[in-house]
Amino acid sequence: MRVVIAGAGSVGSSIARELLANGHEILLVDTKPEVVSRSGLRGVKWLIGDACELAVLQEAHLETAEVLVAATGDDKANLVVSLLAKSEFGVGRTVARVNNPKNDWLFDESWGVDVAVSTPRIMTALVEEAVETGDLVRLLTLRSGQTTLVEFTVPAGHWADARRLGSVSWPADVSVVSIIRDTRPITPSDDDVLEAGDEVFFLATVDAEERLRALLVPEDGA
């Protein structure tokens, strides 16, 4: 897979390193020539220039990339790069870094963003996920803010404990995508029986997430 990453700072370089290790073709675009030697990356291609400029993206042959990652430290730049990638080059998937959580609302399909990643929000979610047994925790927002990845850890005595997945009437637009039990991931089926301590992961629309919360975390505590 060919991936173009705009921004070769610590975030962009880390993403490039992981993707390289997985065998993908990486092009890093940055305005500062010194980042090439400073990154210590081997096996990536480099383009020095401003990714917000159409000519630079043309030189990057962005139309041949399957994914564009906007990873600069400037939210405005990440939005512009994402929009150009979608509108001018037809890139199939754009992933944009949100530096200021207050700007989350801007990172949607109107700016060409498929997936917005806010590090502070993810860190908050991971903290909540670690301590909030019995609550529904949003981990990530996908597809222009319309779909979420959420997690629920089944507490002892919860109504879902010892229930077969297929026997639960999950809300429409909710899919159980994985269960982690004793650090081992399980691909869920209707015959799987939930256990206390299971981490259950769901994909849901924003509206369905609220219905799922009402099901799993009823106000009366049942």
XYZ file of all heavy atoms in Angstrom, residues 88-169:
632
model
N -9.079 16.901 -5.158
C -8.228 17.063 -6.333
C -7.574 15.759 -6.792
O -7.252 15.615 -7.976
C -7.136 18.103 -6.058
C -7.658 19.491 -5.733
C -8.411 20.114 -6.898
O -8.055 19.818 -8.052
O -9.358 20.888 -6.646
N -7.374 14.825 -5.858
C -6.625 13.619 -6.210
C -7.401 12.318 -5.993
O -6.919 11.250 -6.337
C -5.306 13.573 -5.414
C -4.386 14.721 -5.731
C -4.426 15.879 -4.973
C -3.494 14.650 -6.785
C -3.584 16.948 -5.263
C -2.646 15.701 -7.086
C -2.695 16.864 -6.326
N -8.587 12.411 -5.410
C -9.422 11.230 -5.246
C -8.825 10.152 -4.365
O -9.063 8.956 -4.594
N -8.062 10.546 -3.357
C -7.469 9.562 -2.444
C -8.589 8.828 -1.702
O -9.534 9.448 -1.193
C -6.515 10.247 -1.444
C -5.989 9.236 -0.422
C -5.355 10.884 -2.192
N -8.472 7.507 -1.625
C -9.552 6.704 -1.054
C -9.752 6.875 0.433
O -10.881 6.783 0.931
N -8.670 7.153 1.171
C -8.798 7.252 2.635
C -7.862 8.342 3.151
O -6.679 8.366 2.834
C -8.462 5.918 3.292
C -8.719 5.871 4.798
C -8.591 4.436 5.294
N -8.877 4.299 6.705
C -10.092 4.209 7.237
N -11.146 4.272 6.440
N -10.272 4.058 8.526
N -8.415 9.218 3.963
C -7.623 10.268 4.588
C -7.730 10.153 6.102
O -8.817 9.977 6.645
C -8.097 11.670 4.160
O -9.482 11.825 4.506
C -7.927 11.867 2.659
N -6.587 10.262 6.750
C -6.516 10.223 8.214
C -5.859 11.521 8.658
O -4.752 11.842 8.200
C -5.697 9.017 8.710
C -5.644 9.005 10.243
C -6.289 7.713 8.191
N -6.528 12.272 9.520
C -6.016 13.591 9.903
C -5.817 13.691 11.408
O -6.651 13.258 12.201
C -6.969 14.689 9.428
N -4.709 14.269 11.777
C -4.385 14.523 13.186
C -5.086 15.789 13.657
O -5.040 16.820 12.986
C -2.870 14.678 13.337
C -2.386 15.116 14.703
C -0.889 15.409 14.639
N -0.361 15.875 15.913
C 0.884 16.335 16.074
N 1.712 16.383 15.020
N 1.301 16.741 17.261
N -5.747 15.698 14.808
C -6.370 16.868 15.442
C -5.477 17.278 16.609
O -5.329 16.539 17.583
C -7.789 16.553 15.954
C -8.444 17.820 16.492
C -8.641 15.924 14.861
N -4.883 18.442 16.509
C -3.986 18.904 17.572
C -4.744 19.561 18.724
O -4.420 19.348 19.882
C -2.971 19.900 16.990
C -2.059 19.256 15.969
O -1.077 18.622 16.312
N -2.397 19.410 14.691
N -5.751 20.333 18.386
C -6.557 21.023 19.390
C -7.943 20.381 19.436
O -8.696 20.489 18.462
C -6.671 22.507 19.054
C -7.378 23.297 20.135
O -8.067 22.729 20.990
N -7.237 24.611 20.108
N -8.303 19.701 20.524
C -9.614 19.040 20.596
C -10.791 19.969 20.308
O -11.855 19.504 19.899
C -9.660 18.524 22.037
C -8.234 18.357 22.431
C -7.504 19.484 21.736
N -10.617 21.266 20.496
C -11.696 22.209 20.203
C -12.019 22.255 18.712
O -13.087 22.729 18.317
C -11.325 23.609 20.692
C -11.248 23.729 22.208
C -10.911 25.152 22.626
C -10.849 25.274 24.147
N -10.493 26.661 24.569
N -11.086 21.764 17.893
C -11.302 21.774 16.441
C -11.885 20.474 15.916
O -12.039 20.315 14.693
C -9.972 22.054 15.726
C -9.442 23.446 16.003
O -10.216 24.378 16.229
N -8.128 23.597 15.996
N -12.207 19.546 16.805
C -12.732 18.239 16.388
C -13.878 18.361 15.390
O -13.960 17.608 14.426
C -13.234 17.450 17.611
C -12.124 16.635 18.258
O -11.014 16.594 17.693
O -12.375 16.043 19.317
N -14.769 19.311 15.634
C -15.981 19.425 14.826
C -15.691 19.762 13.362
O -16.512 19.498 12.489
C -16.901 20.494 15.424
C -16.335 21.880 15.375
C -15.459 22.450 16.243
C -16.612 22.875 14.382
N -15.169 23.737 15.874
C -15.864 24.034 14.735
C -17.424 22.920 13.251
C -15.891 25.200 13.984
C -17.455 24.084 12.493
C -16.703 25.205 12.864
N -14.526 20.315 13.077
C -14.171 20.664 11.710
C -13.731 19.453 10.889
O -13.823 19.459 9.659
C -13.037 21.689 11.705
C -13.391 23.117 12.122
C -12.124 23.920 12.371
C -14.246 23.778 11.052
N -13.245 18.429 11.559
C -12.622 17.299 10.868
C -13.680 16.278 10.440
O -13.846 15.220 11.042
C -11.565 16.646 11.768
C -10.301 17.454 11.873
C -10.265 18.627 12.606
C -9.141 17.044 11.230
C -9.100 19.386 12.702
C -7.977 17.790 11.313
C -7.956 18.965 12.049
N -14.391 16.628 9.367
C -15.423 15.729 8.859
C -15.347 15.679 7.343
O -14.398 16.195 6.728
C -16.812 16.158 9.347
C -17.188 17.572 8.899
O -16.542 18.090 7.960
O -18.130 18.144 9.464
N -16.340 15.073 6.710
C -16.289 14.851 5.268
C -16.305 16.156 4.473
O -15.832 16.199 3.330
C -17.456 13.974 4.833
C -18.826 14.559 5.113
C -19.947 13.604 4.738
O -19.655 12.484 4.311
O -21.110 13.999 4.883
N -16.818 17.226 5.058
C -16.819 18.494 4.333
C -15.404 19.004 4.110
O -15.154 19.786 3.190
C -17.652 19.543 5.086
O -17.074 19.857 6.335
N -14.469 18.568 4.934
C -13.056 18.899 4.752
C -12.257 17.696 4.234
O -11.026 17.708 4.274
C -12.445 19.394 6.063
C -12.746 20.838 6.337
C -13.739 21.350 7.116
C -12.035 21.962 5.798
N -13.693 22.718 7.100
C -12.661 23.125 6.304
C -10.936 22.106 4.942
C -12.220 24.406 5.986
C -10.502 23.379 4.624
C -11.140 24.512 5.143
N -12.959 16.672 3.770
C -12.274 15.536 3.157
C -11.661 14.559 4.138
O -10.829 13.735 3.755
N -12.059 14.625 5.402
C -11.459 13.773 6.433
C -12.307 12.513 6.641
O -13.491 12.605 6.966
C -11.319 14.531 7.774
C -10.746 13.618 8.850
C -10.433 15.757 7.581
N -11.689 11.347 6.461
C -12.381 10.091 6.744
C -12.263 9.718 8.224
O -13.224 9.303 8.851
C -11.800 8.952 5.894
C -12.144 9.105 4.422
O -13.270 9.537 4.128
O -11.289 8.810 3.574
N -11.047 9.837 8.757
C -10.811 9.493 10.158
C -10.037 10.621 10.819
O -8.972 11.016 10.340
C -10.006 8.173 10.294
C -9.768 7.839 11.772
C -10.731 7.026 9.613
N -10.577 11.151 11.912
C -9.895 12.191 12.683
C -9.349 11.573 13.962
O -10.066 10.882 14.678
C -10.863 13.326 13.013
N -8.072 11.827 14.229
C -7.425 11.240 15.401
C -6.975 12.358 16.327
O -6.117 13.167 15.967
C -6.220 10.374 15.000
C -5.584 9.749 16.237
C -6.640 9.288 14.020
N -7.577 12.405 17.503
C -7.216 13.396 18.515
C -6.473 12.687 19.632
O -7.064 11.917 20.387
C -8.467 14.094 19.058
O -8.144 14.892 20.170
N -5.173 12.943 19.746
C -4.371 12.265 20.772
C -4.893 12.518 22.183
O -5.025 11.569 22.967
C -2.897 12.683 20.663
O -2.411 12.342 19.360
C -2.054 11.964 21.708
N -5.229 13.761 22.568
C -5.778 13.952 23.915
C -7.046 13.151 24.148
O -7.248 12.585 25.219
C -6.053 15.461 23.962
C -5.099 16.048 22.977
C -5.023 15.050 21.872
N -7.925 13.088 23.126
C -9.173 12.344 23.301
C -8.900 10.850 23.452
O -9.512 10.170 24.263
C -10.114 12.602 22.126
C -11.379 11.762 22.173
C -12.430 12.275 21.217
N -12.974 13.548 21.679
C -13.883 14.239 21.010
N -14.332 13.812 19.865
N -14.343 15.373 21.499
N -7.960 10.327 22.635
C -7.622 8.904 22.738
C -7.023 8.593 24.098
O -7.352 7.581 24.729
C -6.654 8.503 21.612
C -7.383 8.516 20.265
C -6.070 7.121 21.864
C -6.486 8.246 19.086
N -6.130 9.458 24.584
C -5.524 9.228 25.895
C -6.579 9.244 26.986
O -6.557 8.409 27.903
C -4.442 10.279 26.172
C -3.226 10.149 25.258
S -1.980 11.404 25.568
C -1.372 10.877 27.172
N -7.522 10.175 26.886
C -8.613 10.216 27.863
C -9.429 8.938 27.814
O -9.778 8.358 28.852
C -9.526 11.430 27.582
O -8.762 12.627 27.688
C -10.676 11.481 28.572
N -9.728 8.479 26.586
C -10.519 7.254 26.433
C -9.789 6.052 27.014
O -10.395 5.192 27.659
C -10.838 7.023 24.958
N -8.473 5.994 26.802
C -7.713 4.854 27.319
C -7.668 4.862 28.839
O -7.713 3.814 29.485
C -6.293 4.868 26.742
C -6.198 4.552 25.252
C -4.777 4.765 24.750
C -6.659 3.129 24.974
N -7.591 6.067 29.422
C -7.641 6.163 30.883
C -8.998 5.688 31.384
O -9.095 4.879 32.319
C -7.370 7.611 31.343
C -7.677 7.764 32.829
C -5.923 7.990 31.065
N -10.068 6.170 30.745
C -11.412 5.765 31.158
C -11.620 4.276 30.961
O -12.196 3.599 31.813
C -12.455 6.544 30.363
C -12.509 8.015 30.704
C -13.525 8.748 29.848
O -13.844 8.263 28.753
O -13.989 9.809 30.295
N -11.107 3.761 29.840
C -11.270 2.335 29.550
C -10.593 1.484 30.613
O -11.047 0.392 30.947
C -10.688 2.031 28.158
C -10.928 0.618 27.673
C -9.797 -0.305 28.062
O -8.681 0.164 28.266
O -10.050 -1.518 28.171
N -9.486 2.005 31.171
C -8.738 1.235 32.159
C -9.433 1.195 33.508
O -9.240 0.265 34.286
C -7.334 1.822 32.327
N -10.261 2.226 33.798
C -10.833 2.314 35.144
C -12.348 2.200 35.184
O -12.924 1.885 36.220
C -10.407 3.633 35.836
C -8.902 3.693 35.972
C -10.923 4.844 35.086
N -13.001 2.427 34.029
C -14.451 2.505 34.040
C -15.108 1.174 33.678
O -15.810 1.060 32.676
C -14.930 3.608 33.080
C -14.507 5.014 33.480
C -15.187 5.471 34.753
O -16.263 4.938 35.084
O -14.645 6.353 35.421
N -14.892 0.161 34.487
C -15.599 -1.098 34.289
C -17.093 -0.855 34.461
O -17.527 -0.211 35.413
C -15.131 -2.154 35.302
O -13.742 -2.407 35.087
C -15.908 -3.454 35.152
N -17.883 -1.344 33.512
C -19.321 -1.166 33.599
C -19.824 0.078 32.918
O -21.017 0.365 32.966
N -18.941 0.823 32.248
C -19.377 1.994 31.499
C -18.981 1.808 30.040
O -18.087 1.032 29.713
C -18.728 3.263 32.049
C -19.467 4.522 31.603
O -20.502 4.383 30.921
O -18.998 5.619 31.926
N -19.670 2.512 29.158
C -19.379 2.451 27.732
C -18.419 3.590 27.398
O -18.725 4.751 27.645
C -20.668 2.577 26.925
C -20.575 2.263 25.436
C -20.322 0.779 25.211
C -21.864 2.683 24.725
N -17.252 3.242 26.840
C -16.198 4.228 26.595
C -15.960 4.352 25.096
O -15.698 3.354 24.418
C -14.883 3.815 27.297
C -13.777 4.819 26.974
C -15.097 3.715 28.798
N -16.050 5.581 24.578
C -15.751 5.808 23.163
C -14.242 5.888 22.976
O -13.563 6.685 23.612
C -16.403 7.094 22.675
C -16.133 7.365 21.187
C -16.703 8.680 20.714
N -18.158 8.712 20.744
C -18.886 9.713 20.237
N -18.262 10.746 19.678
N -20.209 9.681 20.297
N -13.724 5.058 22.071
C -12.293 5.027 21.814
C -11.897 5.817 20.583
O -10.818 6.398 20.533
C -11.813 3.572 21.647
C -12.022 2.648 22.845
C -11.541 1.244 22.499
C -11.274 3.175 24.060
N -12.759 5.823 19.557
C -12.377 6.434 18.293
C -13.624 6.789 17.499
O -14.643 6.100 17.599
C -11.525 5.444 17.486
C -10.691 5.973 16.317
C -9.654 6.978 16.808
C -9.988 4.824 15.604
N -13.519 7.871 16.734
C -14.587 8.259 15.820
C -14.103 8.028 14.395
O -13.014 8.466 14.032
C -14.975 9.735 16.009
O -15.391 9.935 17.367
C -16.120 10.120 15.082
N -14.919 7.338 13.609
C -14.540 6.950 12.254
C -15.517 7.527 11.244
O -16.629 7.937 11.590
C -14.509 5.427 12.117
C -13.650 4.658 13.124
C -13.965 3.183 13.055
C -12.179 4.896 12.844
N -15.088 7.509 9.965
C -15.952 7.858 8.846
C -16.711 9.159 9.060
O -17.932 9.200 9.203
C -16.930 6.733 8.532
C -16.290 5.435 8.107
C -15.373 5.577 6.936
N -16.031 6.100 5.765
C -15.410 6.368 4.631
N -14.114 6.216 4.542
N -16.080 6.826 3.595
N -15.944 10.226 9.128
C -16.533 11.569 9.168
C -17.448 11.795 10.362
O -18.438 12.517 10.277
C -17.307 11.842 7.872
O -16.503 11.575 6.756
N -17.116 11.159 11.474
C -17.862 11.399 12.692
C -19.178 10.671 12.804
O -19.925 10.887 13.753
N -19.494 9.787 11.856
C -20.782 9.094 11.879
C -20.721 7.725 12.552
O -21.753 7.167 12.895
C -21.303 8.939 10.449
C -21.510 10.258 9.729
C -22.419 11.202 10.504
O -23.521 10.837 10.898
N -21.947 12.412 10.744
N -19.524 7.173 12.701
C -19.368 5.846 13.293
C -18.335 5.909 14.403
O -17.312 6.588 14.281
C -18.919 4.818 12.227
O -19.856 4.814 11.161
C -18.831 3.421 12.822
N -18.593 5.189 15.492
C -17.675 5.198 16.623
C -17.258 3.783 16.994
O -17.990 2.816 16.762
C -18.319 5.858 17.861
O -19.457 5.070 18.278
C -18.769 7.270 17.566
N -16.060 3.678 17.544
C -15.588 2.434 18.150
C -15.683 2.615 19.659
O -15.082 3.542 20.215
C -14.152 2.136 17.744
C -13.499 0.920 18.408
C -14.171 -0.377 17.954
C -12.002 0.866 18.093
N -16.469 1.768 20.310
C -16.687 1.902 21.748
C -16.373 0.580 22.446
O -16.392 -0.490 21.824
C -18.139 2.333 22.077
C -18.402 3.737 21.568
C -19.142 1.363 21.472
N -16.081 0.687 23.736
C -15.689 -0.492 24.516
C -16.505 -0.568 25.793
O -16.837 0.468 26.399
C -14.198 -0.411 24.845
C -13.624 -1.601 25.590
C -13.707 -1.449 27.114
O -14.053 -0.334 27.580
O -13.429 -2.428 27.831
N -16.835 -1.791 26.187
C -17.566 -2.027 27.430
C -16.933 -3.216 28.141
O -16.781 -4.292 27.557
C -19.039 -2.326 27.151
C -19.866 -2.600 28.385
C -20.298 -1.564 29.188
C -20.190 -3.904 28.735
C -21.052 -1.809 30.332
C -20.946 -4.164 29.868
C -21.381 -3.120 30.674
N -16.523 -3.004 29.381
C -15.982 -4.098 30.188
C -17.091 -4.632 31.088
O -17.666 -3.890 31.883
C -14.796 -3.624 31.045
O -13.766 -3.127 30.182
C -14.233 -4.780 31.870
N -17.384 -5.917 30.938
C -18.514 -6.524 31.646
C -18.163 -6.694 33.127
O -17.228 -7.424 33.471
C -18.868 -7.902 31.043
C -20.048 -8.517 31.795
C -19.185 -7.781 29.553
N -18.891 -6.032 34.028
C -18.617 -6.206 35.457
C -19.308 -7.449 36.006
O -20.291 -7.944 35.432
C -19.211 -4.930 36.078
C -20.304 -4.532 35.146
C -19.917 -5.002 33.773
N -18.792 -7.965 37.106
C -19.430 -9.110 37.765
C -20.838 -8.718 38.199
O -21.064 -7.623 38.707
C -18.607 -9.546 38.974
N -21.792 -9.596 37.943
C -23.164 -9.350 38.338
C -23.977 -8.559 37.339
O -25.177 -8.355 37.545
N -23.342 -8.117 36.246
C -24.070 -7.387 35.205
C -24.992 -8.353 34.466
O -24.715 -9.551 34.367
C -23.073 -6.756 34.236
C -23.685 -5.824 33.238
N -24.158 -6.242 32.018
C -23.906 -4.472 33.278
C -24.619 -5.209 31.344
N -24.485 -4.119 32.085
N -26.088 -7.837 33.911
C -27.033 -8.717 33.240
C -26.416 -9.445 32.041
O -26.873 -10.519 31.633
C -28.274 -7.950 32.784
C -28.039 -6.889 31.743
C -27.933 -5.553 31.941
C -27.887 -7.091 30.323
N -27.719 -4.894 30.756
C -27.694 -5.820 29.728
C -27.909 -8.215 29.500
C -27.507 -5.656 28.365
C -27.727 -8.044 28.132
C -27.520 -6.787 27.573
N -25.332 -8.868 31.467
C -24.697 -9.501 30.300
C -23.769 -10.644 30.694
O -23.408 -11.470 29.849
C -23.919 -8.466 29.501
N -23.392 -10.707 31.965
C -22.516 -11.790 32.429
C -23.236 -13.128 32.249
O -24.367 -13.308 32.711
C -22.169 -11.545 33.898
C -21.123 -12.521 34.417
O -20.594 -13.323 33.623
O -20.844 -12.477 35.633
N -22.572 -14.063 31.542
C -23.098 -15.411 31.264
C -24.200 -15.412 30.207
O -24.879 -16.423 30.036
C -23.585 -16.092 32.545
N -24.373 -14.283 29.490
C -25.362 -14.233 28.411
C -24.698 -14.580 27.079
O -23.581 -14.168 26.801
C -25.981 -12.841 28.308
C -26.967 -12.516 29.406
C -28.290 -13.249 29.232
N -28.997 -12.877 28.037
C -29.854 -11.854 27.961
N -30.083 -11.100 29.025
N -30.482 -11.593 26.820
N -25.409 -15.331 26.253
C -24.948 -15.654 24.908
C -25.159 -14.427 24.016
O -26.205 -13.786 24.073
C -25.706 -16.863 24.375
C -25.149 -17.453 23.079
C -25.866 -18.758 22.738
N -27.289 -18.512 22.522
C -27.814 -18.145 21.351
N -27.036 -17.980 20.294
N -29.110 -17.944 21.234
N -24.139 -14.086 23.211
C -24.231 -12.885 22.372
C -25.480 -12.886 21.501
O -26.153 -11.867 21.358
C -22.991 -12.776 21.470
C -21.745 -12.121 22.054
C -20.612 -12.175 21.042
C -22.029 -10.694 22.468
N -25.787 -14.039 20.931
C -26.920 -14.121 20.024
C -28.258 -13.966 20.707
O -29.283 -13.767 20.033
N -28.277 -14.050 22.036
C -29.546 -13.924 22.758
C -29.862 -12.484 23.133
O -30.931 -12.194 23.666
C -29.515 -14.778 24.033
O -28.630 -14.214 24.998
N -28.914 -11.580 22.854
C -29.103 -10.171 23.208
C -29.635 -9.412 21.992
O -29.136 -9.551 20.880
C -27.773 -9.534 23.662
C -27.989 -8.060 24.017
C -27.194 -10.294 24.854
N -30.660 -8.617 22.199
C -31.211 -7.791 21.126
C -30.428 -6.480 21.066
O -30.826 -5.459 21.652
C -32.700 -7.513 21.384
O -33.445 -8.709 21.370
